Amino acid sequence: MAGGAREVLTLQLGHFAGFVGAHWWNQQDAALREPTDAHEQPGELCPDVLFRTGQTLHGQETYTPRLILMDLKGSLSSLKQESGLYRDKQLDAAIAWQGKLTTHKEELYPKNPYLQDLLSVEGVLSSDGIWRVKSIPNGKGPTTLTTAMTPEPLIPTEGSIRVWSDFLRVHLHPRSICMIQKYNHDGDAGRLEAFGQGESVLKEPRYLEELEDRLHFYVEECDYLQGFQILCDLHDGFSGVGAKAAELLQDEYSGRGIITWGLLPGLYSLGQDPQKNIYRLLNTAFGLVHLSAHSSLVCPLSLGGSLGLRPEPPVNFSHLRYDATLPFHCSAILATALDTVTVPYRLHSSPVSMVHLANMLNFSGRKVVTAGATIPFPLGPSQSLPDTLMQLRGATPWTPLSACGDPSGTCCFAQSVVLRGLDKACHTSQLIPGTPLPSLLHACTTGEEVLAQYLQQQQPSVRSSSHLLLTPCKVVPPYPSLFSSSLSQQGLVLDDPPTGAAVESIPVLGALCSSSSLNQTLGDLVKELTKLDLRRWASFMDAGVEQDDLEELLQELRNLAQCYQGGNSLMD
């Protein structure tokens, strides 16, 4: 790979994972479309970690995600499984049979108006069946990338978004999409509901061989594969798919990092169906235990307040207005957090490998971590970083995003913190020389020192790693309009009346923590599962889980919970 990138292969497993992934790839794409000077140094983040260069059959250069995604029949809407980027009408017509043909044409899904507008500015399917992609002047890598500059993008409405492909603006490679045809995305019948069903999918030679073939395709073209990141639904049968996929990766690619993001849309989008709620609890528990056994690190991601059966209010952000029942909204927020906490292993300069990041956080058997983020980081135009951090002192500086309850009063054993999107001029104190310093933070001479000093003051005994980046997080359409009117175009808190300009980028503070809050969270899962009368939910057991599996699960959860009992982080 160009520049010696340490490549990462992404697996997206499930429909909510597709929502988070669509926002994630859109944000990467928006960063690629930033115009840059050809003489400038490479950006702070290396896109080659996540993207791959290639060529169509007609010699056009492409730049597509290094991605394998799995979803169910009926989940793609108008998106073609083989991708329009590599479509060749002449090959489609090459049929050896010379006799009479009867064509049965499936009715096409109407394309979302947002995507119709997008494709009209990005390229055209010419009369010879070749997709002609317009190029972007961004000064990086191939001149022909996945997308093009859009002068006035059409913003998709919440009502127009049915599935994740309705707002994905990135072209995918034909080897990316793997459909599980035996289960349906829509309807009441033929659903992938239980962990055992998901495990059985990758026990079938058809799907296992298809996944292995795609893995080999992407892995073999990498110069230095640092590992895999798995975006996996935890609430349904895809928790079982993810567990088997992680086991396969651990067996075949020993020594590579495997970081799994377990995604939960929250109770509010699942409705009040008792069976769905019980299945969500069982799938989440089985998923966490099995994924942690085969991954370097596992992090649940959710805007919900709890992993248990009792609904807790969704988390709040001071400057966001979102609808917790809409996957389009919730996934955008989680993707923004993900885009920030994954920064260490995507850096151009001095990257932290996935294995090193995991080892820093998962010592003493603590393979499950929590995530948190401040979206956006609340810096005012006249403030410096020390000023804002002083205002946050005494409280947890980020909103919890792992459905583990309020972290106040809990102990952190290790943490990786990223702050991005602040102009260098505000990294240190802007006080006039001779003015008494309000805190030790105001005496620091670099932004990195400010952040490290703040984390040391907050929790002195915690093993911490921190990164400070100038690069903000892009939130241009199709990212939903979630931001309060008190923010500037760059996501800063305004002193003056709002300008009305749409927010295009934001500063974000994100963190991964090995936290004692998991002791109670995992312990509560054990208590709720112990109370369940599984005779009422025999269908879950019929899907391939036995009573002995449940007993083993409860013991594994107890053992995992004990790893997070409070104590001095450096002495454990």
Side-chain angles (χ1 to χ4, degrees):
M1 270 296 178
R6 300 153 71 92
E7 303 99 339
V8 171
L9 174 55
T10 302
L11 279 70
Q12 281 173 212
L13 310 175
H15 202 66
F16 188 60
F19 267 85
V20 175
H23 281 300
W24 157 275
W25 294 114
N26 287 344
Q27 288 181 309
Q28 311 312 310
D29 179 68
L32 283 173
R33 288 184 289 119
E34 278 290 287
T36 57
D37 191 300
H39 301 291
E40 283 186 19
Q41 293 295 316
E44 294 169 303
L45 297 175
C46 177
D48 289 340
V49 172
L50 300 173
F51 285 79
R52 61 178 295 280
T53 57
Q55 277 192 338
T56 68
L57 295 174
H58 305 280
Q60 281 190 293
E61 286 191 313
T62 61
Y63 199 55
T64 52
R66 190 178 296 104
L67 167 69
I68 300 171
L69 70 85
M70 301 184 78
D71 210 335
L72 307 180
K73 183 171 65 176
S75 63
L76 293 184
S77 187
S78 60
L79 179 66
K80 293 185 179 297
Q81 183 173 344
E82 69 278 5
S83 169
L85 190 63
Y86 288 76
R87 178 178 172 185
D88 189 325
K89 193 174 182 181
Q90 294 167 349
L91 289 179
D92 291 344
I95 301 173
W97 175 253
Q98 298 298 316
K100 184 178 179 181
L101 291 175
T102 302
T103 302
H104 299 273
K105 190 171 183 179
E106 186 178 3
E107 185 177 349
L108 296 176
Y109 285 94
K111 191 175 290 293
N112 186 289
Y114 168 75
L115 293 181
Q116 290 177 348
D117 174 78
L118 172 67
L119 293 176
S120 69
V121 298
E122 288 190 354
V124 64
L125 189 65
S126 58
S127 58
D128 60 0
I130 303 171
W131 182 260
R132 307 294 186 189
V133 185
K134 296 180 183 177
S135 62
I136 354 187
N138 81 331
K140 185 257 163 230
T143 55
T144 303
L145 298 179
T146 57
T147 182
M149 295 298 288
T150 311
E152 291 293 335
L154 178 68
I155 301 175
T157 61
E158 282 78 359
S160 72
I161 302 298
R162 291 177 49 256
V163 294
W164 53 263
S165 57
D166 282 338
F167 63 95
L168 176 70
R169 65 168 294 135
V170 177
H171 292 291
L172 302 180
H173 190 273
R175 298 265 188 150
S176 281
I177 301 176
C178 177
M179 299 305 295
I180 301 174
Q181 298 291 346
K182 66 180 293 185
Y183 292 109
N184 297 318
H185 169 65
D186 291 313
D188 296 325
R191 305 299 295 271
L192 184 60
E193 297 178 308
F195 179 86
Q197 290 175 303
E199 275 196 315
S200 68
V201 166
L202 289 185
K203 290 178 181 177
E204 292 187 30
R206 171 188 173 185
Y207 295 111
L208 178 60
E209 290 170 8
E210 191 169 357
L211 176 59
E212 288 179 327
D213 178 62
R214 291 161 193 265
L215 283 170
H216 294 157
F217 170 78
Y218 285 113
V219 169
E220 287 170 7
E221 67 180 11
C222 292
D223 291 333
Y224 183 81
L225 177 74
Q226 62 168 310
F228 306 86
Q229 56 180 12
I230 304 175
L231 279 64
C232 174
D233 287 359
L234 273 186
H235 64 287
D236 58 20
F238 274 102
S239 63
V241 177
K244 292 303 291 183
E247 183 180 355
L248 172 66
L249 295 177
Q250 185 186 46
D251 289 344
E252 292 212 10
Y253 303 100
S254 176
R256 309 295 185 186
I258 304 172
I259 297 183
T260 301
W261 309 97
L263 302 166
L264 291 152
L267 298 178
Y268 306 92
S269 59
L270 295 177
Q272 300 300 315
D273 185 337
Q275 178 169 310
K276 282 187 178 180
N277 206 14
I278 295 293
Y279 276 32
R280 176 190 58 79
L281 182 73
L282 287 163
N283 289 326
T284 300
F286 273 100
L288 285 175
V289 166
H290 285 258
L291 286 166
S292 63
H294 303 298
S295 303
S296 312
L297 205 66
V298 177
C299 180
L301 286 175
S302 174
L303 299 184
S306 167
L307 293 179
L309 292 175
R310 181 177 296 178
E312 298 286 345
V315 297
N316 290 316
F317 296 86
S318 299
H319 298 286
L320 295 185
R321 308 290 180 262
Y322 75 98
D323 186 339
T325 66
L326 293 179
F328 183 52
H329 283 190
C330 296
S331 58
I333 297 170
L334 294 180
T336 300
L338 194 61
D339 190 33
T340 300
V341 298
T342 58
V343 155
Y345 57 83
R346 298 191 290 123
L347 291 169
H348 248 302
S349 177
S350 303
V352 177
S353 72
M354 298 178 86
V355 169
H356 183 80
L357 177 65
N359 288 342
M360 195 269 289
L361 293 168
N362 71 7
F363 64 102
S364 300
R366 302 182 183 115
K367 280 195 174 183
V368 182
V369 296
T370 63
T374 304
I375 305 174
F377 184 72
L379 185 84
S382 58
Q383 283 188 318
S384 67
L385 176 58
D387 296 332
T388 307
L389 291 176
M390 279 291 292
Q391 292 175 356
L392 296 174
R393 176 172 287 181
T396 304
W398 42 74
T399 300
L401 296 178
S402 293
C404 291
D406 185 356
S408 300
T410 60
C411 167
C412 181
F413 305 106
Q415 61 187 4
S416 169
V417 179
V418 175
L419 177 58
R420 60 185 300 188
L422 299 186
D423 189 88
K424 199 160 190 174
C426 66
H427 283 185
T428 54
S429 174
Q430 300 167 2
L431 295 174
I432 299 171
T435 306
L437 299 178
S439 72
L440 290 176
L441 300 182
H442 289 77
C444 296
T445 57
T446 66
E448 289 81 2
E449 189 182 344
V450 171
L451 183 57
Q453 177 74 23
Y454 170 76
L455 296 174
Q456 171 69 16
Q457 289 178 358
Q458 286 290 99
Q459 303 204 51
S461 61
V462 173
R463 182 188 302 185
S464 288
S465 167
S466 59
H467 292 86
L468 183 65
L469 277 72
L470 300 176
T471 308
C473 195
K474 302 294 289 184
V475 289
V476 295
Y479 199 95
S481 300
L482 306 178
F483 302 99
S484 71
S485 60
S486 60
L487 297 179
S488 71
Q489 205 166 1
Q490 291 73 41
L492 301 180
V493 181
L494 293 168
D495 290 334
D496 301 320
T499 61
V503 178
E504 294 183 352
S505 64
I506 55 172
V508 179
L509 176 67
L512 295 177
C513 302
S514 177
S515 169
S516 65
S517 63
L518 285 160
N519 175 255
Q520 181 168 342
T521 298
L522 298 173
D524 288 345
L525 279 180
V526 172
K527 292 176 184 176
E528 295 208 50
L529 289 168
T530 304
K531 293 177 184 176
L532 283 184
D533 181 1
L534 288 177
R535 291 172 298 181
R536 294 184 57 196
W537 313 106
S539 56
F540 186 91
M541 309 297 282
D542 292 342
V545 173
E546 299 179 359
Q547 185 64 37
D548 288 347
D549 296 324
L550 183 62
E551 295 301 326
E552 185 178 345
L553 167 75
L554 293 173
Q555 188 56 50
E556 292 291 337
L557 278 175
R558 291 188 189 100
N559 294 342
L560 198 54
Q562 287 176 0
C563 294
Y564 297 92
Q565 288 180 337
N568 188 305
S569 61
L570 298 181
M571 299 300 293
D572 288 353

